[in-house]
Amino acid sequence: MIKDIKEEIFTITNSQGHAIHCVYNYIDADSPLIVIPPQFEGTVRLNMLPMIYFVNNGFRVLRFDFTNHQGNSFGNFADFTLSQALADCQAVLEFVHASQQLNASAGVGLLGISISSRILLRYMALQQQPIDCYVSMLGVVDAGSTIYAVTGQDIQLLLRDPQHRYGVVKAIKHMIDADPFMHDLQAQDWHSLSGTQRDIDQLVAPTYLIVAENDKWVNIADYHTAYRNNQAILRQTYKIPNGGHELYKNPEAAKLAAAMATRCFASFFLPNAQSTEIVEPTITELMEWNTRERARERQHDAQLAVG
């Protein structure tokens, strides 16, 4: 079925007038729409696998690149902050709900992976646009702790000394100006588990959790704390056995997580289809699609450089 997937590429602008690169995939233009923000340091291409699972199992998918981030949107990764990423999510979802092309009346779901999950929790807490269903995959709930585990940058230094300076540092693979990033993390209360809990307390969208048994970047016990005051929104929790946070390093775990997320959305949007088997892509199909995604990314990267 992969060869039947249609693709449209377009840009929208955020509140600062900066271009956000969007990739829209579908087979049935009237099916529910799943919106997937990028992972930290990731691009649209890194979310190719869940896109293929979703589209081949009855959904449309909109992926996009954050501004001031890796990918084909405006700006440089060195300037990235979570608040800017939130503004991008707001712009994309405003477009989704206003666009006849994307037809939000069929239903809108969100997939948050890793730190993008933390951003979407804040977005939904603000309740600016209706979201029908939310799936968190390895979602970050104690961002300060996770960022320290991943990058070595300690938010506690800033909390103890507001004048502390971090400088330009390597995040995972790319350089970032850690001063605006960490100051935004603290000033907007992105960093704390208690801040995440306050955002979750405001949520109304039915929520599914996918967690990894051996996640070294997120303490699974923190989910209980984060959701304990609002357990009514929780529908189901899936655990990836022997899985870690970096799913791209474990193709079988990545496929299992994508299948789990597909079942989550299907159980909400397509309850009459729950008994059907999940359509799995073949290795050949994934390789062909990855080649196509890389070519698209290079093409639009070249266009961005010229522009």
Side-chain angles (χ1 to χ4, degrees):
M1 293 183 66
I2 284 180
K3 293 182 176 61
D4 297 326
I5 297 177
K6 300 179 180 66
E7 181 168 280
E8 297 178 18
I9 301 168
F10 53 87
T11 61
I12 64 173
T13 55
N14 63 15
S15 57
Q16 295 175 303
H18 296 155
I20 301 173
H21 177 75
C22 299
V23 180
Y24 172 47
N25 298 100
Y26 62 97
I27 295 174
D28 178 1
D30 295 321
S31 58
L33 176 69
I34 310 301
V35 179
I36 314 178
Q39 302 174 43
F40 185 64
E41 287 199 8
T43 67
V44 163
R45 180 166 54 86
L46 192 57
N47 288 330
M48 177 195 77
L49 184 63
M51 178 277 290
I52 292 172
Y53 269 84
F54 295 163
V55 175
N56 277 340
N57 288 278
F59 300 97
R60 297 173 294 143
V61 173
L62 178 64
R63 295 172 290 161
F64 63 96
D65 289 327
F66 287 136
T67 58
N68 295 330
H69 196 260
Q70 297 301 305
N72 295 135
S73 294
F74 170 88
N76 300 307
F77 178 69
D79 301 320
F80 179 71
T81 67
L82 295 196
S83 291
Q84 181 59 63
L86 172 63
D88 292 342
C89 289
Q90 290 169 327
V92 168
L93 286 155
E94 285 174 6
F95 178 83
V96 164
H97 284 89
S99 169
Q100 292 182 347
Q101 171 191 8
L102 295 179
N103 185 20
S105 64
V108 177
L110 296 179
L111 174 66
I113 305 175
S114 190
I115 204 164
S116 72
S117 177
R118 178 67 190 94
I119 297 164
L120 290 178
L121 292 175
R122 176 66 56 83
Y123 171 82
M124 291 185 291
L126 297 174
Q127 297 180 350
Q128 294 182 332
Q129 300 287 347
I131 298 301
D132 297 295
C133 179
Y134 169 61
V135 175
S136 164
M137 183 186 292
L138 314 182
V140 169
V141 288
D142 185 345
S145 175
T146 297
I147 288 167
Y148 179 67
V150 175
T151 71
Q153 305 308 313
D154 189 354
I155 192 66
Q156 296 301 321
L157 296 175
L158 184 60
L159 294 175
R160 289 195 294 265
D161 176 12
Q163 303 305 313
H164 180 78
R165 292 292 178 264
Y166 295 91
V168 177
V169 301
K170 180 180 283 189
I172 301 176
K173 295 181 180 179
H174 301 90
M175 304 303 289
I176 190 169
D177 188 343
D179 287 314
F181 179 82
M182 297 296 281
H183 279 263
D184 173 71
L185 201 72
Q186 183 270 328
Q188 300 302 321
D189 199 11
W190 293 107
H191 67 288
S192 68
L193 181 57
S194 59
T196 303
Q197 184 180 30
R198 284 191 291 273
D199 284 343
I200 290 173
D201 289 348
Q202 305 301 313
L203 303 193
V204 296
T207 297
Y208 298 79
L209 303 179
I210 299 172
V211 303
E213 188 173 57
N214 297 327
D215 195 328
K216 296 180 180 179
W217 293 354
V218 177
N219 184 345
I220 292 179
D222 286 343
Y223 290 111
H224 173 74
T225 301
Y227 285 89
R228 65 185 175 191
N229 294 337
N230 196 5
Q231 295 185 39
I233 64 172
L234 293 178
R235 293 293 180 89
Q236 195 161 1
T237 298
Y238 291 86
K239 183 181 291 186
I240 305 169
N242 301 315
H245 197 90
E246 297 173 281
L247 290 176
Y248 68 91
K249 294 182 177 180
N250 185 338
E252 290 306 311
K255 290 175 66 177
L256 177 60
M260 288 175 173
T262 303
R263 289 190 174 90
C264 292
F265 285 121
S267 69
F268 181 82
F269 287 110
L270 310 170
N272 295 329
Q274 287 187 68
S275 60
T276 61
E277 291 293 323
I278 297 295
V279 176
E280 301 267 357
T282 67
I283 295 297
T284 300
E285 288 171 331
L286 290 175
M287 291 175 63
E288 290 176 353
W289 198 266
N290 189 52
T291 299
R292 176 177 171 175
E293 291 262 312
R294 287 180 181 276
R296 174 194 48 74
E297 203 163 58
R298 287 194 298 270
Q299 174 191 350
H300 286 272
D301 187 51
Q303 291 175 354
L304 188 65
V306 170

